[in-house]
Amino acid sequence: MISMLSELVEKAKVSKKNATLILVGGGSSLVPENTKIEGVGHIKKPRFYFVANALGASLAQVSAINEEIVYPSMGLDPKTQLQTIQEKKKAAFKASDDKAKALAIARGAKEGTIQVSHQTQTMSYSDG
């Protein structure tokens, strides 16, 4: 484990000088502060180092996903199809956005801070 830490420190260092290694989280209790690690001049463990991950997790942003498959052209009159398809797509996005926002709020997000991103994929097929 010490050799793995040494390799990671060497990859992260920005100079050839020995680095100060600050350890936090549950795994940091496996490395005593007096451990000799190549490339490390000093090891520090801040007060409450053992709960650093819990603190980070508590500050993380809330997310929510809503996935839907929409067939916007089903049941449409061919004469007005293009405009109606666009309207159906727009309505489907709004409904999906509203569902994702409601889910994010239910998980603890603040209403005014929600950002929605879309990813769409058009799938085509042929009968032959």
Side-chain angles (χ1 to χ4, degrees):
M1 179 178 67
I2 300 304
S3 64
M4 185 176 10
L5 277 173
S6 178
E7 287 178 32
L8 292 171
V9 167
E10 284 303 317
K11 287 180 182 178
K13 286 175 27 175
V14 293
S15 76
K16 296 215 180 261
K17 295 180 185 177
N18 279 351
T20 298
L21 181 60
I22 301 172
L23 298 174
V24 296
S28 60
S29 60
L30 300 173
V31 183
E33 288 187 56
N34 62 352
T35 303
K36 300 294 181 204
I37 300 175
E38 189 177 328
V40 175
H42 184 66
I43 296 175
K44 290 176 112 175
K45 292 183 185 179
R47 187 173 178 214
F48 303 118
Y49 69 92
F50 46 88
V51 294
N53 189 49
L55 180 62
S58 70
L59 297 174
Q61 293 183 342
V62 176
S63 67
I65 297 173
N66 185 57
E67 295 182 63
E68 295 189 32
I69 297 174
V70 177
Y71 301 97
S73 62
M74 289 185 80
L76 296 180
D77 179 358
K79 294 176 186 173
T80 60
Q81 188 169 342
L82 185 59
Q83 182 180 359
T84 309
I85 288 174
Q86 297 305 323
E87 291 168 357
K88 284 181 95 172
K89 282 183 180 180
K90 188 175 180 178
F93 271 122
K94 179 164 180 0
S96 184
D97 290 354
D98 291 346
K99 289 176 187 175
K101 286 178 185 179
L103 182 55
I105 290 168
R107 292 179 177 175
K110 292 182 181 177
E111 193 167 348
T113 64
I114 298 172
Q115 295 179 343
V116 176
S117 65
H118 295 125
Q119 181 176 358
T120 61
Q121 182 174 353
T122 303
M123 298 188 303
S124 301
Y125 67 92
S126 68
D127 292 333

